[in-house]
Amino acid sequence: MKSDIKDIKLAAKGRLRIEWAARDMPVLKGIRERFAKEKPLKGMRLAACLHVTTETANLMDTLKEGGAQVHLCASNPLSTQDDVAASLVKHFGIPTFAIKGEDHKTYYRHIGQCLSLRPNITMDDGADLVSTLHKERQDLIGNLVGGTEETTTGVIRLKAMAQEGVLRYPIVAVNDAYTKYLFDNRYGTGQSTIDGLLRATNRLIAGSVLVVSGYGWCGKGVSMRAKGMGARVVVTEVDPLRALEAVLDGFMVMPLIEAAGIGDIFVTVTGDAGVVSQKVFAKMKDGAIVANAGHFNVELDIPALKKLSKSTRKIREFVDEYTLKNGKRIYLLGEGRLINLAAAEGHPSQVMDMSFANQALSAEFMARNYKKLENKVYPVPREIDEKIAALKLAGMGIKIDRLTPEQRRYLKSWETGT
Ligand code: ADE
């Protein structure tokens, strides 16, 4: 079996960690057991471009149990867990093309190797697989029946493609399911970003001025968790509604250029490019720490930071010190890649359980319904979302109330008022 991973000898460690994650993924486990019996993906070739983590390994196993032939590559050069990649190859028999720290060229070579499967279904996190197919491998498009997309940034790219009329096969926007973004984006990014900051720096959060750029679901999560640890949180936004929400949630809100002079730690989660610009870097205090938790590192203008600097050195793992020509030092974490996956292990399994249940059920939905679908971006069907929420609660041992027949009738009526 062809693969490209760091070291197959890491497989035993990876297998144990994959098993550890599985303990907290009961919804996916239930799906895997059903898939093993029903084989809804039988005959499908599925290429996945995801962060290669213990949770992703459990998803890959589920898809394979469902009858799919699966190939996996990384969706970010720095997020791969090399022991997991080794175990996927050795114990799960899944061709994997991913090495933590791979350069840009290798990253795209791995995408190419993943596509050598000639997939019928793609599973993306950030849309690099879909965009490579549309830009460079149009010869493969005829085989495709559908795809899924995991993240906000990917969904934005795919919707832009659909809008322009260039998207050539249907995609399900997994990110937009309630059981995905309400939990993964908010509580997953919230916790794992703080985890990444701490593992990279071991700095005290309490009392720090922590600037969060972007108050979408990820930004809400990071702000909430930073506040919980005692940070004085400043939010920067471009959307008046979200900015207002941040104010009423109790955060200071101001333009980033103002926050630049007071922040100790900066985290970007906007999904946009050039947010921390040359001007912002230039205004930062000596010792400022800068990290990105959005999908791409373009949120930070790293070329501008390099231009402002007279020297750089790696001061500890995942921390590069940039000494500016004016003598100030700025610490860039994880090369500006998603800090939660570069320096930590990504979101905890409990939230990835729901995200990846959505992935598995959306792949099944695609396999069953593709003949009826157009080249558009579709939401996850509501029934799937509700089923995952119910299964997750059951997995947590939490029961909830049910509507009585009278209450159901009342909710459909209009006659009763004051
Ligand atoms: N994205 C964020 N956290 C993740 C994880 N643990 N596994 C896969 N993708 C992720």
Side-chain angles (χ1 to χ4, degrees), residues 51 53 55-56 125 150 184 340-341 345-348 352 356:
H51 301 297
T53 65
E55 293 76 21
T56 298
D125 186 336
E150 169 77 7
D184 170 315
N340 57 338
L341 282 142
E345 294 170 65
H347 304 350
M352 295 314 294
F356 285 169

Side-chain angles (χ1 to χ4, degrees), residues 166-207:
V166 297
L167 183 65
R168 304 233 345 240
Y169 61 96
I171 303 278
V172 173
V174 165
N175 180 72
D176 295 356
Y178 289 112
T179 47
K180 200 283 182 179
Y181 72 82
L182 285 180
F183 308 104
D184 170 315
N185 300 25
R186 181 168 37 172
Y187 301 107
T189 309
Q191 178 167 313
S192 63
T193 299
I194 301 289
D195 188 12
L197 287 175
L198 292 179
R199 290 201 209 190
T201 67
N202 195 29
R203 289 292 302 270
L204 185 69
I205 301 285

Side-chain angles (χ1 to χ4, degrees), residues 85-264:
S87 178
L88 278 165
V89 173
K90 182 162 179 180
H91 304 121
F92 295 84
I94 293 176
T96 302
F97 307 91
I99 299 173
K100 187 173 176 98
E102 62 197 17
D103 61 19
H104 185 261
K105 201 165 142 223
T106 311
Y107 176 78
Y108 276 99
R109 176 167 54 78
H110 284 160
I111 287 186
Q113 286 174 299
C114 192
L115 288 176
S116 67
L117 179 65
R118 295 180 299 110
N120 312 113
I121 297 181
T122 57
M123 192 169 273
D124 239 326
D125 186 336
D128 281 346
L129 207 53
V130 176
S131 88
T132 302
L133 277 162
H134 282 71
K135 285 197 277 201
E136 285 158 33
R137 293 305 309 271
Q138 294 177 6
D139 56 307
L140 296 177
I141 288 193
N143 301 316
L144 285 156
V145 300
T148 64
E149 170 53 53
E150 169 77 7
T151 200
T152 317
T153 295
V155 170
I156 291 170
R157 289 177 88 186
L158 292 160
K159 284 188 176 160
M161 289 173 79
Q163 187 78 29
E164 265 185 44
V166 297
L167 183 65
R168 304 233 345 240
Y169 61 96
I171 303 278
V172 173
V174 165
N175 180 72
D176 295 356
Y178 289 112
T179 47
K180 200 283 182 179
Y181 72 82
L182 285 180
F183 308 104
D184 170 315
N185 300 25
R186 181 168 37 172
Y187 301 107
T189 309
Q191 178 167 313
S192 63
T193 299
I194 301 289
D195 188 12
L197 287 175
L198 292 179
R199 290 201 209 190
T201 67
N202 195 29
R203 289 292 302 270
L204 185 69
I205 301 285
S208 303
V209 176
L210 197 145
V211 180
V212 180
S213 291
Y215 203 64
W217 290 102
C218 296
K220 287 183 182 46
V222 175
S223 305
M224 185 201 304
R225 290 295 173 254
K227 183 179 179 178
M229 291 190 76
R232 290 175 284 160
V233 178
V234 175
V235 171
T236 78
E237 246 304 339
V238 290
D239 179 325
L241 270 173
R242 286 182 173 172
L244 186 58
E245 204 180 356
V247 174
L248 269 65
D249 284 345
F251 299 110
M252 284 178 283
V253 175
M254 64 185 76
L256 178 55
I257 195 71
E258 275 176 39
I262 58 170
D264 299 303

Side-chain angles (χ1 to χ4, degrees), residues 13-26 54-55 58 345 348-350:
K13 180 180 173 210
R15 173 145 76 174
L16 289 172
R17 293 179 59 247
I18 292 166
E19 188 185 319
W20 175 254
R23 290 172 47 86
D24 286 320
M25 303 183 85
T54 53
E55 293 76 21
N58 280 288
E345 294 170 65
S349 311
Q350 285 101 326

